[in-house]
Amino acid sequence: MSWLGTADRTRAGRAPADAPGRTPEPRTGPDDGEPGLLAGIPRQRGGRAAAAGDTATQADTAIQGDTAKPEAAAHSGGAAPGLRWRPWRLLPTPVGTPFTFGYAVLLVATSLFAEYGDPGLVSDLLQGSSTDVAHLARSPLMVLVASALWIAGGMTSAYAFGFLFVLTALERRLGGLRTAAVFFGGHAVATLATELPVAFSVAAGRLPETSLHRLDYGISFGVMTCIGALAGLLPAWLRWPLLAGVGYLAVTDLLAYADPMTDWGHLLSLTLGVAAWPLLRHWRTHRSRPALLLGDPLRPALQGVGPT
């Protein structure tokens, strides 16, 4: 057969007649429904449609991907879950901050009792809980704990709100036991630091003996210590305004000279919280550090341990 006939048959999608003794070759068309298409040669019949179809599919995929991104961002609130502001975390919860929550419930109960209970019984309980020199000399541990069960001024005082928000924030950063240590440590140290000078002044004759039975109770020393401690765990743009505002109030009350011993105790408590910054930061770093597992390269695994 001539080369012209072979080209015509190829153009029509038919292979040339098989010569005797030769093995039939397979057809080169990719599909029986579209004859005459040769593999490896672009821009044939149907090539533009296929290319257009692939381009449209890619465009649809790109559009869907671009649309999915804003939807995912909207679903996540536009930020990572750990960076979203959750206002309910400002308040204590039984699971997240058990120490602050349980202590707050106890303070609400004692405040309601002080407000609506029998006045004579309330007065006797407050006198018995006072951390004056006479009670500290007889039963120091009992009165140090008992005096922190009452809120001077009731649930509407500034220290009640400070307790609620400050201790919640501190416990979320340090944990319940360490927050309790900061609170009661500041409460005890500031109480002793203000009452011991009274005892020495009475012994020296500079104050009357009635100063030994001064009524002194409340949570203000512990709250001020926690404020000073919390400031050290906050970023600088929150730390210094908080310290400046609370320090200004403490100094103003001291200059008013209405209750100098208590006001000195507030300023001392705030200073104790600030002085504890290195320890608190160490506690926070230790608390946020992941626990090392057995076999971790940072801690040698126990090898060769077992019965011999």
Side-chain angles (χ1 to χ4, degrees), residues 3-307:
W3 67 270
L4 185 59
T6 304
D8 292 339
R9 291 194 177 193
T10 303
R11 204 177 297 116
R14 296 190 304 274
D18 298 331
R22 294 181 60 185
T23 303
E25 296 180 357
R27 297 176 60 183
T28 57
D31 193 356
D32 294 340
E34 293 186 0
L37 298 180
L38 301 179
I41 300 178
R43 305 185 71 84
Q44 302 176 75
R45 291 192 308 271
R48 292 184 179 180
D54 294 340
T55 304
T57 303
Q58 295 175 0
D60 292 342
T61 305
I63 292 174
Q64 291 176 359
D66 294 339
T67 307
K69 289 180 181 178
E71 292 177 356
H75 180 70
S76 63
L83 300 178
R84 287 182 296 176
W85 184 62
R86 290 169 284 183
W88 58 88
R89 289 178 61 85
L90 297 175
L91 298 175
T93 59
V95 178
T97 55
F99 168 71
T100 305
F101 183 84
Y103 199 176
V105 171
L106 181 60
L107 290 175
V108 169
T110 57
S111 298
L112 291 176
F113 176 76
E115 182 71 21
Y116 301 104
D118 179 68
L121 179 59
V122 171
S123 177
D124 291 341
L125 290 176
L126 292 179
Q127 288 287 346
S129 302
S130 175
T131 52
D132 52 33
V133 176
H135 285 94
L136 286 173
R138 290 197 301 265
S139 52
L141 184 59
M142 188 194 74
V143 294
L144 284 173
V145 174
S147 63
L149 300 179
W150 309 91
I151 304 177
M155 293 185 293
T156 59
S157 68
Y159 290 105
F161 290 98
F163 172 91
L164 199 64
F165 294 109
V166 172
L167 266 73
T168 298
L170 192 62
E171 185 173 358
R172 292 194 185 279
R173 288 162 173 80
L174 297 179
L177 291 178
R178 289 166 178 168
T179 301
V182 173
F183 180 88
F184 287 109
H187 171 74
V189 172
T191 298
L192 294 176
T194 52
E195 292 294 343
L196 288 178
V198 174
F200 294 146
S201 298
V202 171
R206 296 184 178 181
L207 288 176
E209 292 189 1
T210 55
S211 300
L212 300 177
H213 304 278
R214 177 179 177 274
L215 187 61
D216 187 16
Y217 65 91
I219 60 172
S220 58
F221 289 172
V223 172
M224 291 293 283
T225 305
C226 289
I227 291 175
L230 178 63
L233 304 178
L234 295 176
W237 64 274
L238 280 177
R239 176 187 310 143
W240 303 116
L242 176 64
L243 284 179
V246 177
Y248 173 78
L249 293 177
V251 172
T252 302
D253 292 341
L254 183 61
L255 294 178
Y257 213 74
D259 190 357
M261 193 184 72
T262 300
D263 296 333
W264 272 115
H266 291 160
L267 196 58
L268 175 61
S269 301
L270 185 65
T271 306
L272 289 174
V274 174
W277 283 1
L279 177 61
L280 299 177
R281 288 168 180 171
H282 172 73
W283 282 353
R284 187 181 186 184
T285 303
H286 180 74
R287 185 171 185 263
S288 60
R289 184 182 303 161
L292 298 179
L293 300 177
L294 190 65
D296 192 286
L298 298 179
R299 184 176 65 181
L302 298 177
Q303 297 179 354
V305 178

